[in-house]
Amino acid sequence: MTHKDCWMLFRQTGEQGEKIMKKIRVLGIAILTAVVLCACGGGRELADISTAEGDGYMAIIWEERTYVPFCVVSKNDCGTLIGYVNGDTGDRVCEYKDYPSNEWIANYLTVDGGAILLKEVNVTNIPDGLRSEYEWND
């Protein structure tokens, strides 16, 4: 039904047409609201990431993998948000550049300017340009 058809219906039927128009408006608003809510809530679910104490460092545990600190990096190089550390929305874990997240992730605090790159403990192939800031993790 077009807008013109609705208007003609309204003009022809008086009060009955007015009731129909109100129903059409309410239905239109309901559909629009549903579409907006679906679009806003369509993102992927973020992980709740835990930590574990290592020998003088804090490790991150995600999907049964353990990540240990490797070096400081720019927060600008952080990519898609993966999740939050221990449910703290200000302590974020994200993908790092185009590195595979099963090997490399970054962690940063929203109030801080930098980020730390973490390496999965079993990774031995270090990309060019990266160097560990920790002797125990070289």
Side-chain angles (χ1 to χ4, degrees):
M1 180 179 284
T2 67
H3 178 68
K4 185 177 180 180
D5 294 335
C6 289
W7 181 248
M8 291 300 290
L9 180 64
F10 174 71
R11 289 185 66 201
Q12 290 174 352
T13 58
E15 277 186 39
Q16 187 179 9
E18 199 172 315
K19 288 179 184 177
I20 291 172
M21 288 299 291
K22 283 182 182 179
K23 288 180 182 179
I24 290 172
R25 281 189 207 116
V26 169
L27 181 62
I29 290 170
I31 290 171
L32 182 61
T33 302
V35 168
V36 168
L37 290 175
C38 287
C40 292
R44 68 180 182 161
E45 188 172 322
L46 297 176
D48 187 17
I49 298 168
S50 61
T51 57
E53 287 201 34
D55 189 21
Y57 61 89
M58 187 66 69
I60 287 182
I61 312 297
W62 175 51
E63 292 186 344
E64 299 181 22
R65 290 187 295 268
T66 302
Y67 296 84
V68 294
F70 192 74
C71 65
V72 174
V73 293
S74 170
K75 194 187 299 187
N76 294 334
D77 291 330
C78 294
T80 302
L81 180 64
I82 295 170
Y84 305 113
V85 177
N86 299 320
D88 180 357
T89 58
D91 195 352
R92 300 175 176 207
V93 173
C94 60
E95 294 175 353
Y96 180 71
K97 292 188 176 182
D98 59 350
Y99 295 8
S101 59
N102 64 337
E103 295 180 358
W104 301 93
I105 58 175
N107 174 232
Y108 68 92
L109 297 172
T110 55
V111 296
D112 191 351
I116 187 155
L117 182 63
L118 295 109
K119 166 182 90 79
E120 201 278 330
V121 292
N122 297 312
V123 170
T124 56
N125 186 18
I126 309 301
D128 291 339
L130 290 181
R131 178 166 157 64
S132 178
E133 295 178 7
Y134 307 93
E135 288 182 22
W136 53 266
N137 194 13
D138 240 347

